[in-house]
Amino acid sequence: MSVLAVAEHRRGELRDVSYELLTVGRQLADVTDGDLHVAVVSGDVDTYADQLDRDGVDAIHTVDHGEEFNHDVYVQAVEQLADSVDPTYVLAPNSVNGLDYVPALAERLDYPLVTDAVGLDTEDGLTVTRELYGGKAEGTIEVDGDRAVITIRGGEWPAAEGTGEPEVSAFDAAIDESAIRSTVSGFQEVGAGDVDITDADVLVSVGRGIDEEENLDIIHDLADALGATVSASRPIVDNDWLPKDRQVGQSGKVVSPDVYIAIGISGAVQHVSGMKGSETIIAINDDPSAPIFDIADYGIVDDLFDVVPALTEEFSG
């Protein structure tokens, strides 16, 4: 038995979640004592195949058709590839693109579909963990059957690393051109900013504890001293103190930097769901019972207006 993971790219770049898919796929392949197959559809498939050569990948299948994501192309290509590979599990990102085509794919394959997985357990069949009620609770779903299509949430698993020796081959999908009902004519970024917080190695994130907009100066000073990027929780964005593209959380962006410094952030589940995958979390808050300390690796219980300038001075020296 095998696992098929479908990578995702956008505007010429593989998305980070593609590498996380490989980690999940390898875990499931080990359980099924099978191979991990990876599919990449459209775009510069040869370059993507080189980038997807990570430890644990057994085979990479490229489908050269068009440049960008297309619902009808993906459904046809992945369905045909699944018919060839006969996977036990098909994995895809829980993204806008993934949720666009995966339900149709699951219907065609006649596989159960489980979306937005944040955890998997295969001890006694497949059990998928999902967050419920806006992240306030977790629930588990026992998959009825021995096959499934699963979308995984980005930032919940580490990216696969290293290199392997996968067999790379072009898959000749018989795409019915008459069934392609839409095309990509271009891109227009909505509310795009000058930085992408999902690419930052270090984030200095600020919450309602900063009190006033003019107090953000000390946050920017610390970020400058650290060579970091400034991000925020929802209240800061709702007050128009920082743009929407800086928001971390359930209604913002999911980030997983090397270091995440949460300043004046209480740690509501909606925010935590967007940053809990960070490698190291440092919390600064004057409330010792703030939920952010439950997930922080390091915590400072003190007034941020005393702590932040002191840190800036230390790192500016």
Side-chain angles (χ1 to χ4, degrees), residues 22-47:
L22 305 184
T23 299
V24 181
R26 185 66 259 166
Q27 293 173 353
L28 291 175
D30 288 342
V31 171
T32 60
D33 195 25
D35 293 333
L36 172 57
H37 294 255
V38 179
V40 59
V41 182
S42 303
D44 188 356
V45 292
D46 292 333
T47 297

Side-chain angles (χ1 to χ4, degrees), residues 115-150:
T115 60
D116 202 20
V118 298
L120 300 174
D121 189 329
T122 56
E123 185 175 349
D124 185 17
L126 177 64
T127 300
V128 178
T129 300
R130 303 177 77 245
E131 290 188 345
L132 307 172
Y133 306 112
K136 294 181 174 65
E138 287 188 346
T140 56
I141 297 174
E142 295 182 2
V143 177
D144 184 13
D146 56 0
R147 296 173 182 262
V149 177
I150 309 163

Side-chain angles (χ1 to χ4, degrees), residues 214-235:
E214 54 266 28
N215 294 334
L216 288 175
D217 288 344
I218 65 171
I219 304 299
H220 289 289
D221 290 343
L222 177 59
D224 289 343
L226 294 172
T229 299
V230 174
S231 57
S233 62
R234 181 170 178 171

